[in-house]
Amino acid sequence: IIVVSPKFFLYHVLAPGRAMRYGVAVGKAELVFRGEATIQRKVEWPSWTPTPEMIERNPQAYKKYEGGMPGGPKNPLGARAHYLYQNGHDTAIRIHGTTEPSSIGHAVSNGCLRMVNDHVMALFDRVPIGTPVTVY
């Protein structure tokens, strides 16, 4: 998987010279994740817990969820989540669905890569654990 953050596209490389292209939302300017990672976990209807940094940046929005939020249609991670790891450690960055499809094509997240739920579900079914991800 290759993500070109400034263009808001995720490419799932199928074969040399062939890829599926999906629109994504990316992190706000100061929160853009860049680098290499590996998908080490995949979850259907994932639960969500804001990071301590998110709570610190915006306690009004996130403090009430510090104990977590169960998965489901109202969960901000949407229908599926791919968990990105570097050197065996969870980066807290996810490729996930969204409850805000109008955010696709914008820099709005806390660092994660958002996709329309139908697209993240298709990707979830096609991408195995261990898939490398490069984010530019």
Side-chain angles (χ1 to χ4, degrees):
I1 293 175
I2 298 171
V3 179
V4 183
S5 296
K7 300 291 184 187
F8 305 103
F9 287 122
L10 177 150
Y11 296 88
H12 174 212
V13 178
L14 303 171
R18 286 192 56 221
M20 287 292 297
R21 182 176 80 169
Y22 300 96
V24 293
V26 299
K28 299 172 198 166
E30 72 278 10
L31 301 172
V32 173
F33 172 82
R34 286 188 169 66
E36 296 181 359
T38 305
I39 295 172
Q40 290 297 326
R41 186 172 170 229
K42 297 176 10 173
V43 178
E44 295 183 33
W45 296 108
S47 61
W48 170 71
T49 304
T51 65
E53 295 81 12
M54 289 170 66
I55 295 168
E56 185 178 321
R57 276 192 304 274
N58 191 345
Q60 278 189 293
Y62 300 118
K63 181 84 170 149
K64 60 188 167 195
Y65 299 113
E66 71 181 334
M69 178 183 205
K74 294 183 181 191
N75 185 296
L77 294 186
R80 305 287 185 272
H82 304 80
Y83 293 66
L84 302 186
Y85 283 64
Q86 291 177 321
N87 302 315
H89 299 283
D90 187 355
T91 64
I93 301 297
R94 316 285 184 244
I95 298 171
H96 63 79
T98 184
T99 56
E100 300 175 10
S102 63
S103 69
I104 304 305
H106 301 280
V108 294
S109 80
N110 282 285
C112 289
L113 304 158
R114 297 180 187 173
M115 301 176 74
V116 173
N117 277 329
D118 286 344
H119 293 172
V120 78
M121 290 166 70
L123 190 68
F124 188 92
D125 292 339
R126 294 182 181 115
V127 174
I129 288 179
T131 298
V133 177
T134 302
V135 182
Y136 295 99

